[in-house]
Amino acid sequence: MVHNFNAGPSILPKEVFEQAAAAVLNFNDSGLSILELGHRTPEFSAVMEEARSLVRELMQLDDQHEVLFLHGGASTQFMQVPMNLLDAKDTAAYADTGVWSSKAIKEAKLFGKVDIVCSSKEKNYKCIPNDFAVPNDARYFHITTNNTIYGTQWQSIPKTSNSLIADMSSDILSRQLDFNAFDLIYAGAQKNMGPAGVNLVVVNKNILGKIKRPIPTIMDYRNHINECSMLNTPPVFAVYVCMLTLRWLKALGGVAAIEKKNIEKADLLYDEIDRNELFTGTVNKADRSKMNVCFVMNDPMLEKDFLDHAKAQGIVGIKGHRLSGGFRASLYNALPISSVQVLVDAMKTFKK
Ligand SMILES: *Cc1c(COP(=O)(O)O)cnc(C)c1O
């Protein structure tokens, strides 16, 4: 048995893999593979519509918010967001909480002015900034709700009068939030809601069309909204697998139910990290991520041995990111608590 702690692409429910595999051979008893079906057929349109409406339902979105499944990873949104929302003379506010935020900042600078209103860079991104102000005239304020590489997470959503925008790639649908408080949310699917190759974008349509820059057709959110997320050929298989994962989440009880499980998993692992004198958590306790748990061994010489010991128990994907070293265990929605228990047991037996 393999226990998959990969950071992304990452674990999805087994039943989703089974259903996806079956649909590759014979989609809904049509005699056709999901891979050879026209995207404008009623069969695929139904998939896209169900995926969009499941997101709407699970996130409890109001009528002003539109749901899109777009090509490209979250990195495409680093560019598409400012291209749609920022004129050259405008300023956008960004919180710099890690590698992904800084990449978003770099792209935004191509389109307008960027005000980095807070940064945890000096502290090696081990915490979430808490003392900052966002200028009223900033067009929007961008945060990365969960910092996948460093293992920090905004525990609550900052209160601001500005239009709030979030990269939720690694904690989308993992906890209850007032999603309507955001004017735009984006997430590469491959961390918590599906396979690589598609982005979820949730956007308040009232913020669009406010800038003068001409926007290339395929980059303009309004065109995707008008065409019900079928402006061109969507990544059909990735959307289909997202839909299956969203169905799975709904059947489980939705975001409230998964949040409860995610808290139990994170508590189980952090408790062991804090209890076991061989290990230390790397980030500020108050800012700990429930999705990506980063820790090191007090004796770095033992890390290789622990990796081997964990591997022998079927544990994969806990080697830390190349930038931060040590270990990172990703506890995404589909990871069962039994896998976390196996990791905790491995930490205990290694001690002996
Ligand atoms: C993985 C990740 C990205 C990059 O996603 P791509 O789909 O590879 O472009 C961006 N932001 C966050 C928070 C991530 O975890």
Side-chain angles (χ1 to χ4, degrees), residues 150-208:
Y150 297 93
T152 62
Q153 187 174 28
W154 291 79
Q155 305 300 321
S156 61
I157 299 312
K159 296 221 175 347
T160 158
S161 58
N162 307 76
S163 188
L164 193 57
I165 296 196
D167 174 358
M168 286 194 196
S169 294
S170 50
D171 65 352
I172 190 82
L173 296 168
S174 71
R175 57 173 171 166
Q176 288 181 290
L177 289 175
D178 177 8
F179 297 106
N180 292 308
F182 295 85
D183 275 338
L184 195 148
I185 294 167
Y186 61 91
Q190 71 272 20
K191 311 273 164 59
N192 221 1
M193 65 175 283
V198 69
N199 252 322
L200 171 69
V201 173
V202 170
V203 57
N204 179 343
K205 57 191 173 200
N206 302 315
I207 64 168
L208 303 174

Side-chain angles (χ1 to χ4, degrees), residues 72-76 78 100 144 146-149 167-170 186 188-191 199 332:
S75 306
T76 307
F78 295 164
W100 299 117
T144 311
N146 184 70
N147 297 283
T148 327
I149 294 175
D167 174 358
M168 286 194 196
S169 294
S170 50
Y186 61 91
Q190 71 272 20
K191 311 273 164 59
N199 252 322
Y332 296 125

Side-chain angles (χ1 to χ4, degrees), residues 13-30:
K14 183 145 183 284
E15 63 192 79
V16 166
F17 290 138
E18 285 162 358
Q19 291 160 1
V24 168
L25 295 175
N26 183 1
F27 171 67
N28 280 0
D29 281 329
S30 62

